[in-house]
Amino acid sequence: AQSVTQPDIHITVSEGASLELRCNYSYGATPYLFWYVQSPGQGLQLLLKYFSGDTLVQGIKGFEAEFKRSQSSFNLRKPSVHWSDAAEYFCAVADSSYKLIFGSGTRLLVRP
Amino acid sequence: DAGVIQSPRHEVTEMGQEVTLRCKPISGHDYLFWYRQTMMRGLELLIYFNNNVPIDDSGMPEDRFSAKMPNASFSTLKIQPSEPRDSAVYFCASSFLSGETQYFGPGTRLLVL
């Protein structure tokens, strides 16, 4: 069965520092992968997605993610974090019927 | 485009009452999804529709839950009777094609007392 693991429940970084959020997936075929962000009391907003092609994907708000098939990973990165990036981040994989399976989320805290 | 619209945004009800959550997908989107988010279980897909037809309802927790999509611009998720363990945030999402990006509504925060 497909699954997504986000090993970090919380991450705290200082404003201006770089960020990497980890995501590992389990899926037999080439996956469709997504990163969503959820601000408090809000719905989920798509940051970026990978379907095929270039394994380094650029998204909104300066985020990028790299698909590494050998490691079954799709880590999210940002070179310089802003205080407004504090939110919860969800990695997701779409299964063969295109249903999204979400990880448990990583809550990002940003120190001033 | 207004995005996915959900109502109400907040609902407080008593155990045993019927609850109806509403969703208006983005115009032109063929797929509609209902999710539930809880601290214990995270984000779970409950049911999804394609062209107003339910495709997979394997995530619906039990018979107390039902969902309908009478037309392309409206869907409901009904809980009858409601129980305290149904307290959660319920999200509706829509997408244009299968496998394409799902756009989420702001959610309905349900509290069953």
Side-chain angles (χ1 to χ4, degrees), chain A residues 22-65:
Chain A
R22 296 184 289 165
C23 172
N24 293 97
Y25 67 89
S26 172
Y27 187 66
T30 299
Y32 289 3
L33 294 161
F34 304 80
W35 275 100
Y36 281 86
V37 60
Q38 184 180 27
S39 298
Q42 302 297 312
L44 280 76
Q45 180 184 22
L46 180 71
L47 285 175
L48 47 78
K49 62 187 178 186
Y50 172 79
F51 284 1
S52 65
D54 193 345
T55 57
L56 184 62
V57 181
Q58 302 297 320
I60 63 171
K61 304 185 181 186
F63 286 91
E64 68 178 25

Side-chain angles (χ1 to χ4, degrees), chain B residues 2-58:
Chain B
V4 175
I5 299 172
Q6 291 187 248
S7 64
R9 291 293 310 275
H10 302 274
E11 177 81 30
V12 180
T13 190
E14 293 187 344
M15 183 173 62
Q17 296 298 307
E18 177 180 291
V19 175
T20 300
L21 312 181
R22 297 174 177 80
C23 175
K24 175 178 169 58
I26 293 172
S27 177
H29 281 192
D30 295 329
Y31 286 81
L32 184 139
F33 306 81
W34 282 101
Y35 291 88
R36 179 172 67 176
Q37 185 179 36
T38 62
M39 290 292 292
M40 292 298 296
R41 300 176 65 90
L43 272 159
E44 304 173 278
L45 177 66
L46 300 177
I47 184 171
Y48 78 96
F49 296 82
N50 176 216
N51 291 322
N52 313 337
V53 176
I55 303 300
D56 186 340
D57 65 355
S58 59

Side-chain angles (χ1 to χ4, degrees), chain B residues 71-113:
Chain B
N71 57 61
S73 58
F74 183 66
S75 176
T76 60
L77 178 67
K78 189 172 292 187
I79 308 172
Q80 167 62 19
S82 58
E83 296 183 2
R85 61 194 167 119
D86 302 330
S87 298
V89 181
Y90 292 81
F91 289 103
C92 176
S94 69
S95 67
F96 177 53
L97 291 172
S98 175
E100 279 294 328
T101 302
Q102 293 182 26
Y103 293 87
F104 282 74
T108 295
R109 187 172 296 273
L110 173 65
L111 178 60
V112 183
L113 302 174

